[in-house]
Amino acid sequence: MKVDFDDSQTKKNLGRAFAGECQDGAKYQFLAKTALSEGYDYMQLIFKTHAKNEMAHAKRFYDLITENSNSPTENMEICGGYAFTSGTLLECIEHTMNVEASQSDVVYPEFARIAGEEGYHEIEKAFLFAGTVENCHRLMLEQLYDKLKKGKLYKSATPVKWKCSGCGFEHTSKEAWDICPSCLSPQGFVEIQIDMNSGDE
């Protein structure tokens, strides 16, 4: 039997998810600024894309609340834990990576389970879909963290194609250039090699 939406845990979970995604979107914007301040132009583009993803999730959760509520929700008390951290770019990436892992592996699967039990299967799917994106974010952050920590953002064991995100110049080698020979952009503009299949079994 379907639980009345306004009395459901699912509505509360959507509110928590909305608030969390808004904060994550802001934090990714902060992370982008940190990356840019350290000279990683291409990396900040990655973080801005993640911020855009988080805000798309927030909009979806917001819409699900307004579409399913019996009347306008004037005020919703949202109880949730949200971390406030700072540090180096590496430390911030590590923290964000752990947040994404928690969302993809624990929070959203649990929210989806509850939504399914309460009879809200569309919302159940929305939570699961968001969780898959957070897992993709985690996989990308893990690689950025590992490469940055080991000083291998722009190095490879085998020749790969490096591309300037500024002008599009490409060159195949084991290591990216310090200065783009075409547009003279610094190394931070080089697209970072990310393997999104690395988490597959």
Side-chain angles (χ1 to χ4, degrees):
M1 183 175 175
K2 199 170 190 177
V3 176
D4 180 84
F5 184 73
D6 288 333
D7 295 326
S8 70
Q9 182 61 43
T10 294
K11 181 176 182 179
K12 294 175 185 175
N13 289 343
L14 281 169
R16 284 183 59 193
F18 168 76
E21 293 292 339
C22 287
Q23 292 190 46
D24 289 343
K27 286 189 216 176
Y28 269 120
Q29 291 285 1
F30 304 156
L31 194 54
K33 280 191 168 186
T34 301
L36 190 58
S37 72
E38 295 192 20
Y40 298 111
D41 186 88
Y42 181 72
M43 193 186 298
Q44 63 101 16
L45 295 177
I46 294 174
F47 297 147
K48 282 185 176 180
T49 298
H50 285 194
K52 182 180 177 183
N53 298 158
E54 305 297 4
M55 294 311 297
H57 298 166
K59 179 63 165 67
R60 177 69 172 135
F61 297 147
Y62 186 95
D63 289 345
L64 285 168
I65 291 172
T66 58
E67 290 165 5
N68 286 279
S69 294
N70 299 318
S71 59
T73 302
E74 298 297 336
N75 186 54
M76 182 190 295
E77 292 290 336
I78 297 174
C79 181
Y82 303 101
F84 290 82
T85 61
S86 63
T88 65
L89 177 60
L90 189 66
E91 290 168 340
C92 290
I93 291 174
E94 182 178 27
H95 169 74
T96 306
M97 180 174 69
N98 293 333
V99 169
E100 296 286 22
S102 175
Q103 289 177 347
S104 66
D105 300 345
V106 180
V107 177
Y108 285 142
E110 177 64 8
F111 284 3
R113 181 189 66 77
I114 292 169
E117 288 179 354
E118 293 187 334
Y120 294 95
H121 300 294
E122 180 187 7
I123 297 172
E124 177 185 12
K125 289 178 184 176
F127 282 136
L128 291 174
F129 290 149
T132 63
V133 177
E134 308 303 6
N135 186 55
C136 289
H137 288 174
R138 175 183 64 82
L139 293 173
M140 186 173 285
L141 290 169
E142 284 178 348
Q143 291 184 56
L144 288 174
Y145 177 83
D146 188 61
K147 289 174 183 289
L148 185 60
K149 187 174 182 179
K150 294 178 179 176
K152 293 186 176 181
L153 275 177
Y154 303 111
K155 295 178 182 178
S156 173
T158 58
V160 295
K161 184 179 286 184
W162 301 99
K163 183 174 183 178
C164 176
S165 63
C167 71
F169 175 78
E170 297 179 353
H171 178 69
T172 301
S173 64
K174 290 185 178 181
E175 190 168 341
W177 53 83
D178 291 328
I179 300 293
C180 176
S182 174
C183 70
L184 307 182
S185 291
Q187 192 176 62
F189 279 75
V190 176
E191 295 184 7
I192 300 164
Q193 302 289 320
I194 300 291
D195 179 11
M196 289 309 292
N197 296 314
S198 65
D200 292 350
E201 295 294 328

